[in-house]
Amino acid sequence: MLRRIFVCLGMPIKNQKHIDTQRIRQVCAFLSAGGGTLQEMHAHVNEGLEERGLDPIGLRTLQACIERLREGDFDHSKQDLPAKTRGKLFKVVFKHKVYNWAADTELPEFGDLDEEERFTLPFLAGILRRFDSIPAVQKILYQLPEIFNISEAEMESRSAIFQTGPVMYDAQHPEFESKVIQCVIKILSHIHLGQAIEFNYTGVNVYNSKVENLTMQQVAPLNIRYYEHFYYLNAFPMNGSKVLSYRIDQIHRLNVMVSEDEQGNIITFDRAEMEQKLGLTNKLRDSLGVWIHDEKEKLYEIEIAFQKWAASYVKRLRLHPSQRIVREDKDKQTLVISLRLRLSEETPEKKNITDRNSELAFLLGRFGKDVKVLTASPAR
């Protein structure tokens, strides 16, 4: 079944070396289960191959697999040893028309997972399923079962994993999220190559993305952050003085181009050197999400009280690396934590602590009346 699906999708079937190793895996599984006659082994091996989307084999091919197993001529953890040494590792005996492992044999190690680890792969596949429109993810999901010898039935348990919550959406473009991810991947390639990029952009504070609201951005892309269901690009504008954050889905038509100088040469930069010069790591450390704070915004120790369900929620979820518990009262169902964050200067328009950090206001807004900001003291 899997084989037919992969052929229909135009995905490559594994090469002969991998197929041969998979056959030997099934032989080893049969021997480890107690062994038996050649006919019993034949039925067992073909059943295992069918589960993995591979063609059945004949008796002569099966006997050839047994010989290769004895010779150590297949993919396993000790395949780099000399041929004579490999030929003494895996001892298959044939006695009274029954195949079995010898008492003093070693068993091949294929890199399989133990019983406690096996269902980590279906779990991973379930998480990745949301991104299966990405070619690399398709290949990963395709190759995982064979690499770790996971059966199709076991992999199907990934359907029991569900991701809920908001997803990127555009009523006029059903494949919008997939196209955003493709744009993210393209930007990552420019980051890797140290190439400046340019794109038309609509700021997040503008609802209408009509042409007159677009601005051309020419930037050195530094990194990408995924936060609250959106992808953000942190970049240094070529004609600017500080790092800015761009929400990638706001890029016009999700079209990003490499930036060139007047002579038509691609503009390049040293990413590591630029990040160090800009102190980007420290700037992001003091951010609750993706906001790049101004240098003049001071660092504060902010104490916040939660109660009831909000207290239970925050106790099990770290909102920021600086988070620590100040005190808790289990009888009153309250929890007080502190966060080290930057706040803008207090003004008549911004008197409340949450008014001075928009990301903090956005985060705490979900807790309604069950949260209260207590104090904000300059951090030492």
Side-chain angles (χ1 to χ4, degrees), residues 74-321:
F74 59 97
D75 286 336
H76 57 91
S77 61
K78 297 185 177 181
Q79 64 187 38
D80 293 330
L81 293 175
K84 287 186 177 180
T85 304
R86 292 200 313 267
K88 298 177 181 178
L89 296 175
F90 314 123
K91 301 175 183 178
V92 181
V93 296
F94 180 64
K95 188 176 182 180
H96 304 306
K97 297 184 178 181
V98 171
Y99 286 90
N100 220 322
W101 287 121
D104 60 342
T105 186
E106 287 194 33
L107 298 180
E109 293 183 7
F110 296 95
D112 293 345
L113 302 176
D114 62 33
E115 289 302 316
E116 292 185 357
E117 297 171 325
R118 293 184 71 80
F119 281 93
T120 61
L121 289 180
F123 171 80
L124 175 61
I127 298 298
L128 289 176
R129 184 172 51 184
R130 176 179 172 183
F131 306 103
D132 62 7
S133 62
I134 304 173
V137 173
Q138 290 178 0
K139 291 182 179 179
I140 290 171
L141 292 176
Y142 163 52
Q143 293 176 0
L144 280 177
E146 184 166 339
I147 292 173
F148 293 103
N149 197 27
I150 300 294
S151 70
E152 182 177 359
E154 288 174 303
M155 286 302 293
E156 282 305 312
S157 64
R158 65 181 176 177
S159 62
I161 304 287
F162 291 92
Q163 292 188 73
T164 59
V167 297
M168 286 191 174
Y169 170 75
D170 188 321
Q172 298 179 342
H173 301 91
E175 302 297 323
F176 182 69
E177 183 175 40
S178 176
K179 291 181 179 179
V180 170
I181 293 174
Q182 291 172 17
C183 184
V184 169
I185 293 171
K186 190 173 189 303
I187 294 173
L188 284 174
S189 70
H190 293 301
I191 292 175
H192 171 70
L193 296 171
Q195 296 175 338
I197 58 174
E198 55 187 56
F199 49 86
N200 286 304
Y201 186 75
T202 305
V204 294
N205 59 336
V206 178
Y207 180 76
N208 195 333
S209 57
K210 55 187 179 181
V211 175
E212 49 264 41
N213 291 331
L214 295 175
T215 60
M216 172 58 76
Q217 303 291 322
Q218 187 182 47
V219 304
L222 299 174
N223 58 50
I224 292 175
R225 281 198 160 194
Y226 182 66
Y227 179 68
E228 292 287 348
H229 316 293
F230 288 101
Y231 296 91
Y232 294 85
L233 166 66
N234 291 322
F236 185 77
M238 292 305 191
N239 58 353
S241 58
K242 62 179 182 179
V243 177
L244 296 179
S245 185
Y246 301 89
R247 213 175 79 190
I248 293 178
D249 61 289
Q250 293 288 105
I251 294 176
H252 184 57
R253 295 181 178 176
L254 298 172
N255 184 30
V256 172
M257 299 172 291
V258 68
S259 193
E260 299 178 347
D261 59 22
E262 295 179 354
Q263 287 72 43
N265 299 315
I266 295 175
I267 300 174
T268 60
F269 66 99
D270 188 316
R271 176 193 170 209
E273 182 180 323
M274 181 173 288
E275 284 190 344
Q276 184 176 8
K277 183 177 180 180
L278 295 169
L280 185 59
T281 301
N282 291 336
K283 286 183 170 66
L284 294 175
R285 181 194 61 200
D286 300 332
S287 175
L288 188 57
V290 295
W291 191 270
I292 306 296
H293 292 274
D294 194 284
E295 292 289 348
K296 65 182 180 181
E297 296 181 351
K298 296 180 180 179
L299 193 63
Y300 286 82
E301 192 88 23
I302 304 169
E303 291 193 1
I304 309 168
F306 299 84
Q307 64 178 1
K308 300 179 181 177
W309 75 271
S312 177
Y313 183 95
V314 173
K315 184 178 181 179
R316 298 302 182 203
L317 192 68
R318 186 175 291 276
L319 305 176
H320 188 264

